[in-house]
Structures are given as structure tokens and as C-alpha cells.
Amino acid sequence: MMIKNILTIMMFTLALATSAQTFAKYSDVDKKHMVMSEKMKNLKKKLSIPPAAGLFGVYGLPKKGQFVIGVNYQRYEFSGLLKGSNSISAQQTALEAPNQFFGKPLQPATLRVVPKKSKADVILPFINYTISDKVSLVALVPLTKKQATLETFSGANPNVSLGTNTVESKGLGDIKLGALYKLHDSDKHHVLVDMVLSLPTGSIKKEDIALTPANTMQSARLGYGLQLGSGTLDALLGVSYWGKDKRWGWGAQYLATIPLEDKNSEGWRYDDKHEATVWGSYAWKPSLVSSLRLRTEHQGKIKGVDSNIYGPGLGAQTSNYGGNLTEASIGMNWTYARAKNISIEYAVPISQNRNGYQAERDSTISISWRNAFF
């Protein structure tokens, strides 16, 4: 009986010891989880609210030796035509829009080939690597596809439409390499300076077969807007500020694209482009943020002429480029896992005042995926 009691006491003591060890073990795990949870909570307080998908050069920079990779996708859609800020039909454009080549052999006084609709798709893989507490390097490699449906009118009679055909160009665009400088960085406020070079890697000699005013199909160099690059070394210079307070976020950016050469290998260049944008955002929860943004841009006409871009087509007229555009956009950003997020933004013009005669911008959609390695 005594042995039985001793065994019972030993088993009870062992059970208590095991329970105590198990409790201690799980208490340690709970403590670790609590510490980790507190660290994540403090980190979220310091992190900036993710920027909208359509923004260039606005990133919450990681620390030295860390990097971010991602892919941006943008689609631009156009339909109809504008004369300045007013809508105009293709027929009326053929009747009144001047042809800068008039006076040369077989060149009519007004245009004969005008776009009915067009679109551009740009896929932009990028990497952002931080080399110091202040400086991060960035590289973007655009893959571009542009497509336009053109309506051609008779060279002899601008009232007679000969029909439509579609032309396209696709391939590598202008690669961008540069640095982002962290001018100010705190829990609530961030100021970043963009210093990026755009390299002339995109083709400016793309050709396709188009319907001519003589009612023939002929291969020719596409208009300036359908080329894949600028052909010049360009500087992209900008400054961005963004901040947050609890659930609210806000920001502003100025960005300039300035050609560093008087002309490219084909004898022309784009004019300086200036953009300004402001935005506000609201975090419904830490992982889900919505945004509203307003953006405006101004650009002058093309300088110079490519002697191979010739004829009574709207895209061949250097005066039909640039002007003013203001658009509004709505976006959503979802952080689906730690340091991984997907964002989408949809933009529509609220004001367009273009130089000469141009295709009318309908909408822009931007989708971005980012993965940070901390």
C-alpha cells in the first residue's frame, strides 16, 4: 500500500513538473509573440502610407543594404480628336487641319490620315536598392506596345474616307537609371529628391504598313508618338513630399523631364515636360488604403523634324504634340503580406488643352506590385 502511495505521489509530482515546464515554455513563446507584435505595431506607426500606383519616384525607402523590386503596368487609351480643348470629328480635321509639308510634291493643304482611337501599354519592372541612410539607386526597364487605328481620306478629296487600318510598334523603351535622395525622413513626414537619367534605348525608327491617301498600302516610318523612345538622353528631376497622421495620408510632387541634347540621331527632340500632382489617402485598416489624386502636366511642341516622318498624317506634324492636361484619379493599395503590396489607380482627364490637333485622352489605368526585402 505504501509503495502504491509513493508511486502515486511521484506521478503527481512529475505531472506538476511537466505542466510547469509546459506552461513556462508556452509563456516564453507568448512573450516572444508579444514582443514581436509590439515591434510590428511600432514599425507600422513609422511606415509611410503606400503611394498611389501611378506615381513615379515615390517610395518608402528601406534601410542600407535592403531593396525593393516590383512591376508597374500602365495602359493609356485615346479616342476621338481634339482641336485645342474642343472635340472635332475626323472628317472636319481632314478638311481644316494644316499639313506642314504643303507645297512639296503631292502634299495636300490639309491632313488626310488621322487617328480614330489608340492605346499604349507599358510594363515597367524596377528595382530600388539602398546604398546608404540617405541614397537609394533605382532602375526601370520599360517594355512598350503602342497601337493606333487610323482613318485615311482621299488625297484628291478630303470628304471621301478610304477606310481604316491599324498600325503598331512594340519593344524596349527608354531605360531609366538614377538615385533617390532622402532629404527628410521622420515618422510622419518624408521628403525625397529624384535624380534619374533616361537612356535613349527605345527605337525612334519604327515602321508599319498603312493605308495612304492614294488608296495604297505602304510601309513608312510611324509618327513621333508611336515611336518607343525619345532618342535623347533625358534628365528626370523631381521632389516629393508625403506625410501621415493616424489614418490620413497626403502628399505632393513636382517632376520635370528635360532633354539633355539639342536633337536625337534623327534630327528632333521632345520639349521639356513639367508635371505636378497632389494626393490624399485614407487607411481603412493598416493593410488597405484608398487614395484620390489630382495631376497636371505641360509640355511644348516637338523641336526639329525627322525627314523620314513625312506626309499628311496627324502624327507627322510636330506642332500636334504637347499642351496641357489635368486628370483626377482614384486608387486602392492592398498590403497582402508583410512588405508586399498591390495597388491600382484609375485616372480620367478633367481638362485637356492640346497643341494643334491631337487624339483625346480617355483614361489611364495603373497597376503596381511591390515586394520589399527587409
Side-chain angles (χ1 to χ4, degrees):
M1 186 68 177
M2 184 179 293
I3 294 174
K4 184 177 180 181
N5 289 337
I6 291 172
L7 288 172
T8 302
I9 291 169
M10 288 177 66
M11 290 177 66
F12 182 70
T13 303
L14 183 61
L16 283 175
T18 304
S19 298
Q21 289 176 359
T22 302
F23 180 76
K25 180 181 177 182
Y26 281 107
S27 293
D28 289 343
V29 172
D30 287 342
K31 286 178 183 176
K32 287 180 182 178
H33 284 165
M34 287 175 65
V35 170
M36 190 178 294
S37 177
E38 194 64 29
K39 284 183 178 178
M40 288 299 294
K41 193 181 294 183
N42 291 333
L43 180 62
K44 284 179 180 177
K45 288 179 182 178
K46 293 181 180 181
L47 288 175
S48 57
I49 291 176
L55 287 166
F56 172 83
V58 182
Y59 307 102
L61 296 187
K63 295 186 180 299
K64 180 180 177 181
Q66 299 174 340
F67 63 98
V68 179
I69 63 170
V71 179
N72 293 338
Y73 166 76
Q74 295 174 324
R75 164 168 278 200
Y76 305 89
E77 293 193 346
F78 305 79
S79 66
L81 293 163
L82 287 176
K83 177 185 179 183
S85 58
N86 300 313
S87 295
I88 186 172
S89 68
Q91 180 75 74
Q92 193 61 33
T93 302
L95 288 169
E96 68 173 61
N99 173 18
Q100 72 183 53
F101 302 104
F102 176 57
K104 296 184 178 181
L106 303 176
Q107 291 299 306
T110 59
L111 300 186
R112 293 296 190 270
V113 183
V114 299
K116 296 282 285 184
K117 60 181 180 179
S118 57
K119 61 184 178 181
D121 295 285
V122 184
I123 299 173
L124 274 162
F126 71 88
I127 184 168
N128 176 10
Y129 179 73
T130 303
I131 59 173
S132 74
D133 293 338
K134 292 286 188 180
V135 178
S136 183
L137 303 180
V138 64
L140 302 94
V141 182
L143 304 171
T144 304
K145 180 179 178 180
K146 298 181 178 182
Q147 191 176 81
T149 299
L150 308 175
E151 183 170 11
T152 301
F153 294 86
S154 169
N157 186 351
N159 289 297
V160 177
S161 174
L162 301 176
T164 63
N165 81 295
T166 299
V167 295
E168 73 172 33
S169 59
K170 58 184 177 181
L172 178 68
D174 288 345
I175 294 174
K176 295 170 177 58
L177 303 172
L180 310 176
Y181 179 74
K182 194 186 297 183
L183 195 62
H184 176 79
D185 189 44
S186 66
D187 291 356
K188 290 188 176 182
H189 305 285
H190 312 269
V191 180
L192 198 65
V193 176
D194 303 310
M195 296 169 287
V196 176
L197 280 178
S198 179
L199 308 179
T201 52
S203 174
I204 55 172
K205 299 179 182 180
K206 285 290 185 178
E207 298 185 356
D208 204 353
I209 297 173
L211 177 62
T212 73
N215 204 19
T216 61
M217 300 299 293
Q218 183 175 323
S219 179
R221 184 167 294 181
L222 296 171
Y224 302 96
L226 286 170
Q227 299 299 328
L228 301 178
S230 68
T232 54
L233 186 68
D234 303 331
L236 278 69
L237 305 173
V239 60
S240 308
Y241 159 78
W242 69 103
K244 74 167 188 175
D245 184 23
K246 296 179 181 177
R247 291 177 177 267
W248 293 98
W250 57 86
Q253 181 191 55
Y254 166 75
L255 184 65
T257 304
I258 302 173
L260 300 178
E261 301 174 87
D262 289 336
K263 59 184 178 180
N264 57 34
S265 61
E266 300 304 296
W268 62 278
R269 69 170 176 87
Y270 285 113
D271 198 14
D272 298 352
K273 183 178 181 181
H274 301 273
E275 303 173 63
T277 186
V278 293
W279 72 89
S281 59
Y282 182 78
W284 302 97
K285 52 184 181 178
S287 61
L288 193 64
V289 179
S290 58
S291 63
L292 291 173
R293 188 162 70 96
L294 193 67
R295 186 186 77 91
T296 187
E297 69 173 50
H298 170 77
Q299 187 174 27
K301 302 172 184 178
I302 285 176
K303 309 294 184 183
V305 174
D306 180 345
S307 59
N308 291 297
I309 299 178
Y310 179 81
L314 185 146
Q317 316 296 309
T318 56
S319 59
N320 292 337
Y321 288 87
N324 301 314
L325 168 72
T326 301
E327 61 183 6
S329 62
I330 183 170
M332 189 67 71
N333 192 303
W334 176 41
T335 303
Y336 61 92
R338 180 176 177 268
K340 297 177 174 67
N341 72 287
I342 294 174
S343 56
I344 185 169
E345 186 179 51
Y346 180 75
V348 293
I350 56 176
S351 173
Q352 299 183 71
N353 188 2
R354 312 305 282 168
N355 294 330
Y357 297 77
Q358 294 187 38
E360 183 173 4
R361 176 85 66 88
D362 275 347
S363 62
T364 305
I365 187 166
S366 303
I367 302 171
S368 179
W369 171 79
R370 297 181 180 95
N371 187 3
F373 294 86
F374 296 149

